[in-house]
Amino acid sequence: MVERTLAIIKPDAVNKRVIGDVIRRYEAAGLNPIAIKMMHLSESIAEGFYAVHRARPFFHDLTTFMSSGPSVVLVLEGENAIQANRELMGATDPQKAEAGTIRAAHGASIEANAVHGSDSPETANFEIGYFFPSMDLQAGH
């Protein structure tokens, strides 16, 4: 099933200048970038995006990190895009990520782990709408 997912190339990966490699990996995996923008998230935008984690102990560190520099925000489309991207990203902890995954290649820590990806269709719809509010969320349109 063709679907869409949100991906973010986080500030650590942008700072390392690996944007091109990450996008190349998406495309090689059959995930087509159909919307893309570079933006420096304000702390309030990061807090709104990660609001589901507000009560978690890592919330402040996460939102501070995500607002520490520019990120590249993308909508990816492809067959089973959400699961395909999750597999391509690798484990949240880069030390536990399988070889060949984005986080194994470019992540430094659980926080500075290079990329974000939606974890479910519901999350993808919220996340795509958060950064691309005028986008038609139906795949293939």
Side-chain angles (χ1 to χ4, degrees), residues 2-64:
V2 174
E3 60 187 5
R4 292 180 175 170
T5 189
L6 187 92
I8 299 176
I9 303 173
K10 295 181 177 183
D12 59 309
V14 171
N15 191 47
K16 289 180 186 175
R17 299 180 182 193
V18 297
I19 296 167
D21 181 62
V22 173
I23 292 174
R24 181 194 59 75
R25 289 169 186 259
Y26 293 147
E27 291 179 322
L31 298 171
N32 301 313
I34 60 166
I36 184 170
K37 61 183 168 183
M38 178 178 266
M39 59 188 299
H40 193 138
L41 278 62
S42 67
E43 204 149 329
S44 64
I45 289 173
E47 287 172 356
F49 182 72
Y50 288 108
V52 67
H53 298 303
R54 189 172 300 280
R56 307 286 292 272
F58 59 81
F59 178 75
H60 177 73
D61 289 344
L62 174 62
T63 56
T64 299

Side-chain angles (χ1 to χ4, degrees), residues 78-92:
E79 279 295 317
N80 300 309
I82 296 166
Q83 184 60 34
N85 187 41
R86 304 288 300 168
E87 292 170 7
L88 187 61
M89 288 190 307
T92 303

Side-chain angles (χ1 to χ4, degrees), residues 65-87:
F65 166 70
M66 288 301 292
S67 60
S68 68
S71 293
V72 176
V73 184
L74 308 95
V75 177
L76 303 174
E77 183 176 84
E79 279 295 317
N80 300 309
I82 296 166
Q83 184 60 34
N85 187 41
R86 304 288 300 168
E87 292 170 7

